[in-house]
Coordinates of all heavy atoms in Angstrom, one line a residue:
L14 N 41.6 12.9 -43.7 CA 42.1 14.3 -43.9 C 42.8 14.5 -45.3 O 43.4 13.5 -45.8 CB 43.2 14.6 -42.8 CG 42.7 14.4 -41.3 CD1 43.8 14.6 -40.4 CD2 41.5 15.5 -41.1
S15 N 42.7 15.6 -45.8 CA 43.4 16.0 -47.0 C 44.9 16.0 -46.9 O 45.4 16.2 -45.9 CB 42.8 17.3 -47.6 OG 43.3 18.4 -46.8
E16 N 45.5 15.8 -48.1 CA 47.0 15.8 -48.1 C 47.4 17.3 -47.7 O 48.5 17.4 -46.9 CB 47.4 15.6 -49.5 CG 49.0 15.5 -49.6 CD 49.4 15.1 -51.0 OE1 48.7 14.4 -51.7 OE2 50.5 15.4 -51.3
Q17 N 46.6 18.3 -48.0 CA 47.1 19.7 -47.7 C 47.1 19.8 -46.2 O 47.9 20.5 -45.6 CB 46.1 20.7 -48.3 CG 46.5 22.1 -48.1 CD 47.7 22.6 -48.7 OE1 48.1 22.3 -49.9 NE2 48.6 23.2 -48.0
C18 N 45.9 19.5 -45.5 CA 45.7 19.4 -44.1 C 47.0 18.7 -43.4 O 47.5 19.2 -42.5 CB 44.5 18.8 -43.6 SG 44.2 18.7 -41.9
C19 N 47.3 17.5 -43.9 CA 48.4 16.7 -43.1 C 49.7 17.5 -43.4 O 50.5 17.5 -42.5 CB 48.4 15.4 -43.8 SG 47.0 14.3 -43.3
T20 N 50.0 18.0 -44.5 CA 51.2 18.7 -44.8 C 51.2 20.0 -43.9 O 52.3 20.3 -43.3 CB 51.2 19.2 -46.3 OG1 51.1 18.0 -47.0 CG2 52.6 19.9 -46.6
D21 N 50.2 20.9 -43.9 CA 50.2 22.0 -43.3 C 50.4 21.9 -41.6 O 51.1 22.6 -41.0 CB 48.8 22.9 -43.4 CG 48.7 23.4 -44.7 OD1 49.6 23.3 -45.5 OD2 47.5 23.9 -45.1
L22 N 49.8 20.8 -41.2 CA 49.8 20.4 -39.7 C 50.9 19.5 -39.4 O 51.1 19.2 -38.2 CB 48.5 19.9 -39.3 CG 47.3 20.7 -39.5 CD1 46.0 20.0 -39.1 CD2 47.4 22.1 -38.6
N23 N 51.7 19.2 -40.3 CA 52.8 18.3 -40.2 C 52.4 17.0 -39.4 O 53.1 16.5 -38.5 CB 54.0 19.0 -39.3 CG 55.3 18.2 -39.6 OD1 55.5 17.5 -40.5 ND2 56.2 18.4 -38.5
L24 N 51.3 16.5 -39.9 CA 50.8 15.2 -39.3 C 51.4 13.9 -39.9 O 51.6 13.9 -41.2 CB 49.3 15.2 -39.5 CG 48.5 16.2 -38.7 CD1 47.0 16.1 -39.1 CD2 48.7 16.1 -37.2
Q25 N 51.8 13.1 -39.2 CA 52.3 11.8 -39.5 C 51.2 10.6 -39.4 O 50.4 10.7 -38.5 CB 53.5 11.3 -38.8 CG 54.7 12.3 -38.9 CD 55.1 12.6 -40.4 OE1 55.2 11.7 -41.1 NE2 55.2 13.9 -40.7
N26 N 51.1 9.4 -40.2 CA 50.4 8.4 -39.9 C 50.4 7.9 -38.6 O 51.5 7.6 -38.0 CB 50.7 7.4 -40.9 CG 49.5 6.3 -41.1 OD1 48.4 6.6 -40.7 ND2 49.9 5.1 -41.7
G27 N 49.3 7.8 -37.9 CA 49.2 7.2 -36.5 C 49.2 8.3 -35.5 O 49.1 7.9 -34.3
Q28 N 49.6 9.5 -35.8 CA 49.9 10.6 -34.9 C 48.5 11.0 -34.4 O 47.6 11.0 -35.1 CB 50.5 11.7 -35.5 CG 50.8 12.9 -34.6 CD 51.5 14.0 -35.3 OE1 52.0 13.9 -36.4 NE2 51.6 15.2 -34.7
Q29 N 48.3 11.4 -33.1 CA 47.1 11.8 -32.5 C 47.2 13.4 -32.5 O 48.1 14.0 -32.2 CB 46.8 11.3 -31.2 CG 46.5 9.8 -31.2 CD 46.0 9.3 -29.9 OE1 45.8 9.9 -28.9 NE2 45.9 8.0 -29.8
C30 N 45.9 14.0 -32.7 CA 45.8 15.4 -32.7 C 44.3 15.8 -32.3 O 43.4 15.2 -32.9 CB 46.1 15.9 -34.1 SG 45.9 17.7 -34.3
E31 N 44.0 16.6 -31.3 CA 42.7 17.0 -31.0 C 42.2 18.0 -32.0 O 42.9 19.0 -32.3 CB 42.9 17.6 -29.6 CG 41.4 18.0 -29.1 CD 41.4 18.6 -27.7 OE1 42.4 18.7 -27.0 OE2 40.3 18.9 -27.3
M32 N 41.0 17.7 -32.4 CA 40.4 18.5 -33.5 C 38.9 18.7 -33.2 O 38.2 18.0 -32.6 CB 40.5 18.0 -34.8 CG 42.0 17.8 -35.4 SD 42.0 17.1 -37.0 CE 42.9 18.3 -37.8
E33 N 38.4 19.9 -33.7 CA 37.0 20.2 -33.6 C 36.4 19.7 -34.9 O 37.1 19.9 -35.9 CB 36.7 21.7 -33.5 CG 35.3 21.9 -33.5 CD 34.9 23.4 -33.6 OE1 35.5 24.1 -34.5 OE2 34.0 23.8 -32.9
V34 N 35.3 19.0 -34.9 CA 34.8 18.4 -36.1 C 33.3 18.9 -36.3 O 32.5 18.9 -35.4 CB 34.8 16.8 -36.1 CG1 34.1 16.3 -37.3 CG2 36.3 16.3 -35.9
Q35 N 33.0 19.4 -37.5 CA 31.8 19.8 -37.7 C 31.3 18.9 -39.0 O 31.9 18.8 -40.1 CB 31.6 21.3 -38.2 CG 30.2 21.7 -38.6 CD 30.3 23.2 -38.9 OE1 30.9 23.6 -39.9 NE2 29.4 23.9 -38.3
F36 N 30.2 18.2 -38.8 CA 29.7 17.3 -39.9 C 28.7 18.0 -40.8 O 27.9 18.8 -40.2 CB 29.0 16.1 -39.2 CG 29.9 15.2 -38.4 CD1 29.9 15.1 -37.1 CD2 30.7 14.3 -39.2 CE1 30.7 14.4 -36.4 CE2 31.7 13.5 -38.4 CZ 31.6 13.6 -37.0
Q37 N 28.9 17.8 -42.0 CA 28.0 18.5 -43.2 C 27.1 17.4 -43.6 O 27.6 16.4 -44.1 CB 28.9 19.1 -44.2 CG 29.6 20.2 -43.7 CD 30.5 20.6 -45.0 OE1 31.0 19.9 -45.8 NE2 30.5 22.0 -45.1
I38 N 25.8 17.6 -43.5 CA 24.8 16.5 -43.9 C 24.4 16.8 -45.3 O 24.3 18.0 -45.7 CB 23.6 16.4 -42.9 CG1 22.9 17.7 -42.9 CG2 23.9 15.9 -41.6 CD1 21.5 17.6 -42.2
N39 N 23.9 15.8 -46.0 CA 23.3 16.0 -47.3 C 21.9 16.4 -47.1 O 21.1 15.6 -46.7 CB 23.4 14.6 -48.1 CG 22.8 14.7 -49.5 OD1 22.2 15.7 -49.8 ND2 22.9 13.6 -50.2
R40 N 21.5 17.6 -47.4 CA 20.2 18.2 -47.1 C 19.2 17.8 -48.2 O 17.9 18.0 -48.0 CB 20.3 19.6 -47.0 CG 21.0 20.2 -45.9 CD 21.0 21.7 -45.7 NE 19.5 22.1 -45.5 CZ 18.9 23.0 -46.5 NH1 19.6 23.4 -47.6 NH2 17.7 23.3 -46.3
L41 N 19.5 17.1 -49.3 CA 18.6 16.7 -50.3 C 17.5 15.8 -49.7 O 16.3 16.1 -50.1 CB 19.4 16.0 -51.4 CG 18.5 15.5 -52.7 CD1 17.9 16.8 -53.2 CD2 19.2 14.8 -53.6
W42 N 17.7 15.0 -49.0 CA 16.7 14.1 -48.3 C 15.6 14.9 -47.6 O 14.5 14.7 -47.8 CB 17.4 13.1 -47.5 CG 16.6 12.1 -46.7 CD1 16.0 11.0 -47.3 CD2 16.3 12.1 -45.3 NE1 15.3 10.4 -46.2 CE2 15.6 11.0 -45.1 CE3 16.7 12.9 -44.3 CZ2 15.1 10.7 -43.8 CZ3 16.2 12.6 -43.1 CH2 15.4 11.5 -42.8
F43 N 16.1 15.8 -46.8 CA 15.2 16.6 -46.1 C 14.4 17.6 -47.0 O 13.2 17.9 -46.9 CB 16.0 17.6 -45.1 CG 16.6 16.8 -44.0 CD1 18.0 16.5 -44.1 CD2 15.8 16.1 -43.0 CE1 18.6 15.8 -43.2 CE2 16.5 15.3 -42.1 CZ 17.9 15.2 -42.1
C44 N 15.0 18.1 -48.0 CA 14.4 19.0 -49.0 C 13.3 18.2 -49.8 O 12.3 18.8 -50.0 CB 15.4 19.5 -50.0 SG 16.6 20.7 -49.2
E45 N 13.6 17.0 -50.1 CA 12.5 16.2 -50.8 C 11.3 15.9 -49.9 O 10.2 16.0 -50.4 CB 13.1 14.7 -51.2 CG 14.1 15.0 -52.4 CD 14.8 13.7 -52.7 OE1 14.8 12.7 -51.9 OE2 15.5 13.6 -53.8
M46 N 11.5 15.7 -48.7 CA 10.4 15.5 -47.7 C 9.6 16.8 -47.6 O 8.3 16.8 -47.6 CB 10.9 15.1 -46.3 CG 11.4 13.6 -46.3 SD 11.6 13.0 -44.8 CE 12.9 14.0 -44.0
H47 N 10.2 18.0 -47.5 CA 9.5 19.3 -47.4 C 8.8 19.5 -48.8 O 7.7 20.0 -48.7 CB 10.5 20.3 -47.1 CG 10.9 20.5 -45.7 ND1 10.1 21.2 -44.8 CD2 11.9 19.9 -45.0 CE1 10.7 21.1 -43.5 NE2 11.8 20.3 -43.7
K48 N 9.4 19.2 -49.9 CA 8.8 19.4 -51.1 C 7.4 18.6 -51.2 O 6.4 19.0 -51.7 CB 9.7 19.1 -52.2 CG 9.1 19.3 -53.6 CD 10.1 19.1 -54.8 CE 9.6 19.4 -56.2 NZ 8.1 19.5 -56.3
A49 N 7.4 17.3 -50.7 CA 6.3 16.5 -50.8 C 5.1 17.2 -50.0 O 3.9 17.1 -50.5 CB 6.6 15.2 -50.1
I50 N 5.5 17.8 -48.9 CA 4.4 18.5 -48.1 C 4.0 19.8 -48.9 O 2.8 20.2 -49.1 CB 4.8 18.9 -46.7 CG1 5.0 17.6 -45.9 CG2 3.9 19.8 -46.1 CD1 3.9 16.7 -45.6
D51 N 5.0 20.6 -49.4 CA 4.8 21.7 -50.1 C 3.9 21.5 -51.4 O 3.2 22.4 -51.8 CB 6.0 22.5 -50.6 CG 6.8 23.0 -49.4 OD1 6.2 23.2 -48.4 OD2 8.0 23.2 -49.6
D52 N 4.0 20.4 -52.1 CA 3.2 20.0 -53.2 C 1.7 19.5 -53.0 O 1.0 19.3 -54.0 CB 4.0 19.0 -54.1 CG 5.3 19.5 -54.8 OD1 5.4 20.8 -54.8 OD2 6.0 18.6 -55.2
L53 N 1.4 19.4 -51.8 CA 0.1 19.0 -51.5 C -0.9 20.1 -51.9 O -0.7 21.2 -51.7 CB -0.1 18.7 -50.0 CG 0.5 17.4 -49.5 CD1 0.4 17.3 -48.0 CD2 0.0 16.1 -50.0
P54 N -2.1 19.7 -52.5 CA -3.0 20.8 -52.9 C -3.6 21.4 -51.9 O -3.9 22.6 -51.9 CB -4.1 19.9 -53.7 CG -3.9 18.5 -53.5 CD -2.5 18.4 -52.9
N55 N -3.9 20.8 -50.7 CA -4.2 21.5 -49.5 C -3.8 20.6 -48.3 O -3.4 19.5 -48.4 CB -5.7 21.7 -49.5 CG -6.5 20.4 -49.3 OD1 -6.3 19.6 -48.4 ND2 -7.5 20.2 -50.2
L56 N -3.8 21.3 -47.1 CA -3.3 20.5 -45.9 C -4.3 20.1 -45.0 O -4.0 19.7 -43.8 CB -2.2 21.5 -45.1 CG -1.1 22.0 -45.9 CD1 -0.2 23.0 -45.1 CD2 -0.2 20.8 -46.3
D57 N -5.6 19.9 -45.4 CA -6.6 19.5 -44.6 C -6.4 18.1 -44.0 O -6.8 17.8 -42.9 CB -8.0 19.5 -45.4 CG -8.4 20.9 -45.7 OD1 -7.8 21.9 -45.1 OD2 -9.3 21.1 -46.5
K58 N -5.8 17.2 -44.8 CA -5.6 15.7 -44.4 C -4.3 15.7 -43.5 O -4.3 14.9 -42.6 CB -5.5 14.9 -45.5 CG -6.7 14.7 -46.3 CD -7.6 14.0 -45.5 CE -9.0 13.6 -46.4 NZ -10.1 13.3 -45.6
V59 N -3.3 16.7 -43.6 CA -2.3 16.6 -42.9 C -2.3 17.3 -41.6 O -2.0 16.7 -40.5 CB -1.0 17.2 -43.7 CG1 0.3 17.2 -42.9 CG2 -0.8 16.5 -45.1
F60 N -3.0 18.4 -41.6 CA -3.2 19.2 -40.4 C -4.8 19.4 -40.3 O -5.3 20.5 -40.5 CB -2.5 20.5 -40.4 CG -1.1 20.5 -40.4 CD1 -0.4 20.8 -41.5 CD2 -0.4 19.9 -39.3 CE1 1.0 20.7 -41.6 CE2 1.0 19.9 -39.3 CZ 1.7 20.2 -40.6
P61 N -5.5 18.4 -39.9 CA -7.0 18.5 -39.9 C -7.5 19.4 -38.8 O -6.8 19.5 -37.7 CB -7.5 17.1 -39.8 CG -6.4 16.4 -39.0 CD -5.1 17.0 -39.5

């Protein structure tokens, strides 16, 4: 957690607090896979 978060919430080391968590993924990996398909000259071999 950021220092600002701990300060704002008055959190101490070892203290428990219920939180909702949303993970952010690095989409570059997925974009590169999609680009590989987009760059194919035709899709006959991929979707015959």
Side-chain angles (χ1 to χ4, degrees):
L14 300 176
S15 68
E16 186 177 332
Q17 184 68 48
C18 175
C19 293
T20 302
D21 290 354
L22 300 175
N23 197 25
L24 294 175
Q25 303 299 318
N26 193 18
Q28 180 180 350
Q29 291 190 6
C30 178
E31 183 180 355
M32 297 184 124
E33 176 190 49
V34 179
Q35 180 184 57
F36 295 102
Q37 296 178 317
I38 62 170
N39 180 354
R40 293 186 59 243
L41 180 60
W42 180 72
F43 298 106
C44 293
E45 288 171 349
M46 289 193 297
H47 281 274
K48 184 176 181 339
I50 297 295
D51 291 341
D52 286 349
L53 290 173
N55 66 56
L56 297 178
D57 294 346
K58 293 290 186 199
V59 179
F60 298 109

